[in-house]
Amino acid sequence: MIHSFLMAGQSNMAGRGFLNDVPPIYNEHIKMLRNGKWQTMVEPINYDRPTSGIGLSASFAAAWCLKNKSEDIGLIPCADGGSSLDDWSIDGILFEHAISQAKLAQKTSNLEGILWHQGENDATPDAANRYEEKFSLIVQAFRRELKAPNLPVVIGGLGDFLTEGIYGAHFSAYPIVNKKLKDCTQSIPNCYFVTASGLTSNPDFLHFNAASQRIFGVRYFEAFANHKHVLEPLKEEEKILEMIDQRHLSETEKKELLNLKFMSGDLSLEDYKTELSKL
Amino acid sequence: MIHSFLMAGQSNMAGRGFLNDVPPIYNEHIKMLRNGKWQTMVEPINYDRPTSGIGLSASFAAAWCLKNKSEDIGLIPCADGGSSLDDWSIDGILFEHAISQAKLAQKTSNLEGILWHQGENDATPDAANRYEEKFSLIVQAFRRELKAPNLPVVIGGLGDFLTEGIYGAHFSAYPIVNKKLKDCTQSIPNCYFVTASGLTSNPDFLHFNAASQRIFGVRYFEAFANHKHVLEPLKEEEKILEMIDQRHLSETEKKELLNLKFMSGDLSLEDYKTELSKL
């Protein structure tokens, strides 16, 4: 049975890291939900916008695989760029969509957690101060609707770069959001906080860059696996990413990747046949 | 109110044309469903696989816009690569997923048709001969579940290239599927057939290439708009595609496209500002 995780929140959960900035993660044990069915994961996983790219869930899943050899993990992409907590209210479309996707996934997987990153759109003083109250209701509703009363929820902090860029004026209250996110993990059972400390952004100063998303995913996994808050960068995060990057592809994965290249027009039929015969 | 269309079937409805082979279609009046909400359409629309690319629905929508100035069309992507008619059975995941997506879309749009392309996976004599029987049940169930008893359904033929490629042996019975698809349009009310005559493929001899998908979409629109079967290539199809390609971008669209380029890392902050100031 696939171990599945729901991805929810806004653009930094969907992922906006540039695709070519980090080594790809391709692992037949990592799946993503497409049309209610599982496919081998290829980024972008959460295709909410044309700018979708590297997110934290891929390295979360790869770190999970280091600890769970030969088992399968599945990612359920439901994050939506620019969404506020009010957009995630339990009578809204995003919540309903996420529940419908998670329920489809539950037919063929065991739902084991929610990966949440959201808050940029609530980084005004008024909205930030109501974060805990609103988010608690959302978590309760997820757990109730999905019949998973103790479902772990991992939530990450906002980046310290937000106020530096051309859109910086919108994010004056981001430290309040970060405080409220931490408060949530005190008041909501089985909810863990992950720091974004030290992570950097794309030139837009809005979105974690690809390398930072990879690190963030490793931190999210540490929080999930050990039921603890990650309040400082992990000493071993770079080493874990090296292990992920150095994993050898299986024969099946090599064949699938060749097929993807051929089907995408990046490899001629002749070259495809030649490369395939070498495996 | 957005006029919406459900995309269902297998890979040639999802679209596998290479993205850079045809001019992009970008039109603020063409939307696609993402997380239950409408976004301006950018291909790939139906991201079922990493190889997803140009499909027929984009030019269908662009042709629709030529006739429905200043109104909005929305595409609901639910096609799934490699799926058989049995995979679309009404107790299966693909059907349930499509219904859930269409119902979310119906909250904010008026569902006006189903665009269907499927059959490659049923191109064995035994499966092909049961096409009409199985497909009729699926159409009835879509109309019943979506409370749209007369919902138009446009279905397209399989490409004549299928038997020519390295996978050709699988498709011996494709002419039977094409005959059965035509038969469906005789027995199912408000169901229209569109020929794939003259259309060509990617080097895989499985998937319509990008240019052919653009033509196919124009033919689908002709069938939908005029409630008729399109049994031969249209005399004006190239001219309609020229009109689509020559459409001038609005100021909003130009700004949005610049923003997408900046957010994707294809434009530096300085160049983004410079280009933006020229609009």
Side-chain angles (χ1 to χ4, degrees):
Chain A
M1 193 71 136
I2 290 170
H3 307 257
S4 64
F5 292 83
L6 176 62
M7 299 161 59
Q10 57 178 114
S11 55
N12 277 321
M13 176 52 66
R16 298 290 189 262
F18 303 153
L19 287 169
N20 296 324
D21 280 4
V22 288
I25 291 174
Y26 193 78
N27 181 329
E28 61 192 307
H29 296 296
I30 306 177
K31 315 286 185 187
M32 58 182 177
L33 201 71
R34 288 288 186 263
N35 295 318
K37 298 168 71 178
W38 299 106
Q39 305 295 335
T40 302
M41 184 278 284
V42 172
E43 292 178 279
I45 300 167
N46 193 115
Y47 203 68
D48 58 319
R49 297 289 184 282
T51 50
S52 189
I54 302 290
L56 65 87
S57 68
S59 57
F60 172 88
W64 186 95
C65 286
L66 291 176
K67 287 276 173 75
N68 298 275
K69 310 268 184 207
S70 79
E71 292 196 76
D72 289 349
I73 182 172
L75 302 167
I76 308 164
C78 293
D80 200 69
S83 55
S84 66
L85 266 192
D86 286 343
D87 291 329
W88 280 96
S89 70
I90 63 176
D91 55 355
I93 290 263
L94 291 180
F95 184 80
E96 185 179 343
H97 173 263
I99 292 292
S100 74
Q101 293 291 307
K103 282 186 175 175
L104 282 173
Q106 282 180 311
K107 289 174 188 274
T108 51
S109 71
N110 188 35
L111 184 66
E112 300 192 358
I114 296 176
L115 309 179
W116 175 267
H117 194 282
Q118 194 279 340
E120 291 87 347
N121 208 351
D122 289 79
T124 57
D126 185 50
N129 278 308
R130 297 189 58 201
Y131 202 99
E132 189 178 355
E133 166 201 341
K134 289 179 183 175
F135 185 62
S136 294
L137 291 175
I138 295 168
V139 171
Q140 282 170 30
F142 268 127
R143 288 171 170 172
R144 187 175 60 242
E145 294 288 327
L146 299 172
K147 298 185 174 41
N150 301 311
L151 193 65
V153 180
V154 186
I155 66 181
L158 304 187
D160 289 318
F161 47 74
L162 283 170
T163 51
E164 295 171 36
I166 47 172
Y167 309 106
H170 296 287
F171 302 112
S172 60
Y174 92 88
I176 306 179
V177 175
N178 276 347
K179 165 146 191 344
K180 292 289 173 183
L181 285 166
K182 281 182 199 166
D183 290 348
C184 287
T185 64
Q186 299 302 318
S187 59
I188 301 172
N190 222 7
C191 180
Y192 306 100
F193 179 80
V194 177
T195 182
S197 175
L199 302 185
T200 54
S201 80
N202 287 345
D204 58 13
F205 290 94
L206 287 175
H207 297 119
F208 295 106
N209 60 31
S212 289
Q213 286 278 18
R214 288 281 191 255
I215 294 168
F216 218 9
V218 169
R219 293 182 190 173
Y220 264 64
F221 178 68
E222 173 75 8
F224 172 77
N226 298 308
H227 312 284
K228 70 171 197 187
H229 309 305
V230 174
L231 302 174
E232 299 292 334
L234 303 172
K235 281 181 189 148
E236 67 275 28
E237 57 197 22
E238 290 294 348
K239 194 177 146 201
I240 293 168
L241 285 174
E242 270 175 43
M243 289 170 67
I244 290 170
D245 289 343
Q246 286 165 7
R247 175 180 174 276
H248 291 287
L249 293 172
S250 71
E251 291 302 292
T252 307
E253 289 160 4
K254 286 179 189 168
K255 281 182 193 169
E256 286 172 351
L257 284 172
L258 278 180
N259 186 259
L260 288 180
K261 283 179 86 171
F262 171 55
M263 288 289 174
S264 303
D266 296 332
L267 204 61
S268 72
L269 178 58
E270 280 313 302
D271 289 345
Y272 174 52
K273 284 180 180 170
T274 307
E275 294 292 323
L276 209 54
S277 70
K278 288 185 197 161
L279 294 182
Chain B
M1 192 71 135
I2 290 170
H3 306 257
S4 63
F5 292 83
L6 176 62
M7 300 161 59
Q10 58 177 114
S11 55
N12 277 319
M13 175 53 65
R16 299 290 188 263
F18 302 152
L19 287 168
N20 296 324
D21 280 3
V22 289
I25 292 175
Y26 193 78
N27 181 328
E28 61 192 305
H29 297 296
I30 305 177
K31 315 286 186 189
M32 57 183 179
L33 201 71
R34 287 288 186 264
N35 295 318
K37 300 169 71 177
W38 299 106
Q39 305 294 333
T40 302
M41 183 278 285
V42 172
E43 292 178 280
I45 300 166
N46 192 115
Y47 203 69
D48 59 319
R49 296 291 183 284
T51 49
S52 189
I54 302 291
L56 65 87
S57 68
S59 57
F60 172 87
W64 186 95
C65 286
L66 291 176
K67 287 277 172 77
N68 298 275
K69 311 268 185 208
S70 81
E71 293 196 77
D72 290 349
I73 181 172
L75 301 167
I76 308 164
C78 293
D80 200 69
S83 55
S84 66
L85 267 191
D86 286 341
D87 292 330
W88 280 95
S89 68
I90 64 177
D91 55 355
I93 290 264
L94 292 180
F95 184 80
E96 185 178 345
H97 173 263
I99 292 292
S100 74
Q101 293 292 305
K103 283 187 174 174
L104 282 172
Q106 282 181 310
K107 289 174 187 275
T108 52
S109 71
N110 188 33
L111 184 66
E112 300 192 0
I114 296 177
L115 309 179
W116 174 267
H117 193 282
Q118 194 279 339
E120 291 87 347
N121 209 349
D122 289 79
T124 57
D126 184 50
N129 278 308
R130 298 189 57 201
Y131 202 99
E132 189 178 356
E133 165 200 342
K134 290 178 183 175
F135 185 61
S136 295
L137 291 175
I138 295 168
V139 171
Q140 283 169 30
F142 268 127
R143 288 172 171 170
R144 186 175 61 240
E145 293 289 327
L146 299 172
K147 297 184 175 41
N150 302 309
L151 193 65
V153 179
V154 186
I155 66 181
L158 305 187
D160 289 317
F161 46 75
L162 283 171
T163 50
E164 295 172 36
I166 47 171
Y167 309 106
H170 296 287
F171 302 112
S172 60
Y174 92 88
I176 306 178
V177 175
N178 275 348
K179 168 151 189 338
K180 293 290 173 182
L181 285 165
K182 282 183 199 166
D183 290 348
C184 288
T185 65
Q186 299 302 317
S187 58
I188 302 172
N190 221 8
C191 181
Y192 306 100
F193 179 80
V194 178
T195 182
S197 175
L199 302 185
T200 53
S201 80
N202 287 345
D204 58 13
F205 290 94
L206 288 175
H207 298 119
F208 295 107
N209 61 29
S212 289
Q213 286 278 19
R214 288 280 192 258
I215 294 169
F216 218 9
V218 169
R219 293 182 190 173
Y220 264 64
F221 178 68
E222 173 75 7
F224 172 77
N226 297 308
H227 312 285
K228 71 171 197 187
H229 309 305
V230 175
L231 302 175
E232 299 292 335
L234 303 172
K235 281 182 190 147
E236 67 275 29
E237 56 196 24
E238 291 294 348
K239 193 175 146 201
I240 294 168
L241 285 175
E242 269 175 40
M243 290 169 68
I244 290 170
D245 289 342
Q246 286 166 8
R247 175 179 174 274
H248 291 289
L249 293 172
S250 71
E251 291 302 293
T252 307
E253 289 160 2
K254 287 179 190 168
K255 281 182 193 170
E256 286 172 350
L257 284 173
L258 277 180
N259 187 259
L260 288 181
K261 283 178 84 170
F262 171 55
M263 288 289 175
S264 304
D266 296 332
L267 205 63
S268 72
L269 178 58
E270 280 314 301
D271 289 346
Y272 173 52
K273 285 179 177 171
T274 308
E275 295 292 324
L276 209 54
S277 70
K278 289 185 197 163
L279 295 182

